[in-house]
């Protein structure tokens, strides 16, 4: 064990926060943690939400105005978190809204490669209604992600 290396601080340079518009409790807790880190470390914070295809029923999916309304709703949720982060002292905050299938797949295959974070902060989901796979998204991301993950309870 290299004692010099063990004394070097571990500092994250880019933080990605996942928020779920359907689960305010876990999103708010993760938000508080991620914004504290981003503000204190003075690093960029990306705030992402994924509009899942399961969130739109088959009939609404055939109506472009319904899809557009859902997209705007997700964008507004993310922007609300961005505004709060900036008001809380985070200097660089980037809103990210993605669409697609399963949330964890979209985050792992699209968001992480695009944003290039070295830390992912996610809530320990308190609601599972919109997940195809039973169980919380946070622990699944922690198992699969190529970067450090903090699941906030």
């Amino acid at each position: 064990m290299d004692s010099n290396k063990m004394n070097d601080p571990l500092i994250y340079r880019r933080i990605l926060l996942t928020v779920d518009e359907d689960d305010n409790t876990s999103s708010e807790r993760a938000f508080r943690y991620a914004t504290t880190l981003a503000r204190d470390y003075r690093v960029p914070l990306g705030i992402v939400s994924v509009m899942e295809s399961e969130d739109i029923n088959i009939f609404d999916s055939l109506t472009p105005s319904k899809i557009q309304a859902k997209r705007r709703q997700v964008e507004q949720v993310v922007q609300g978190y961005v505004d709060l982060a900036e008001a809380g002292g985070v200097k660089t905050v980037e809103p990210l809204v993605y669409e697609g299938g399963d949330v964890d797949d979209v985050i792992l295959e699209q968001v992480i490669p695009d944003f290039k974070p070295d830390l992912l902060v996610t809530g320990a989901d308190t609601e599972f209604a919109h997940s195809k796979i039973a169980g919380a998204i946070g622990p699944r991301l922690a198992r699969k992600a190529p970067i450090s993950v903090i699941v906030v309870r």
Side-chain angles (χ1 to χ4, degrees):
M1 184 180 318
D2 183 359
S3 63
N4 288 333
K5 195 174 205 178
M6 295 299 288
N7 291 326
D8 286 343
L10 178 61
I11 298 173
Y12 297 106
R13 307 264 183 236
R14 266 175 101 68
I15 300 170
L16 177 65
L17 167 67
T18 67
V19 294
D20 182 353
E21 57 135 352
D22 297 328
D23 189 358
N24 290 333
T25 303
S26 70
S27 293
E28 288 171 4
R29 290 176 183 156
F31 170 82
R32 289 171 35 212
Y33 187 80
T35 55
T36 299
L37 285 179
R39 183 190 62 235
D40 291 354
Y41 286 151
R42 294 181 181 97
V43 297
L45 173 66
I47 301 178
V48 66
S49 189
V50 177
M51 186 174 88
E52 298 173 81
S53 51
E54 290 83 25
D55 285 348
I56 301 171
N57 69 47
I58 189 72
F59 300 108
D60 288 347
S61 70
L62 300 172
T63 310
S65 63
K66 297 275 187 175
I67 295 172
Q68 202 52 10
K70 180 65 176 174
R71 186 178 297 120
R72 277 194 303 276
Q73 178 185 355
V74 173
E75 288 170 349
Q76 288 172 348
V77 167
V78 171
Q79 190 58 50
Y81 281 107
V82 168
D83 294 343
L84 286 171
E86 290 174 340
V90 180
K91 299 295 183 204
T92 306
V93 187
E94 186 175 337
L96 305 163
V97 176
Y98 283 73
E99 298 177 32
D102 208 32
V103 172
D104 49 345
D105 291 336
V106 172
I107 290 169
L108 293 168
E109 296 168 10
Q110 296 176 41
V111 181
I112 289 174
D114 289 351
F115 186 70
K116 297 176 181 49
D118 50 12
L119 175 65
L120 174 65
V121 178
T122 186
D125 307 319
T126 58
E127 308 267 340
F128 309 127
H130 296 290
S131 181
K132 284 195 303 191
I133 303 169
I137 292 167
R140 289 197 319 260
L141 287 171
R143 280 192 306 275
K144 297 178 182 179
I147 59 174
S148 295
V149 177
I150 295 177
V151 180
V152 180
R153 296 205 181 282

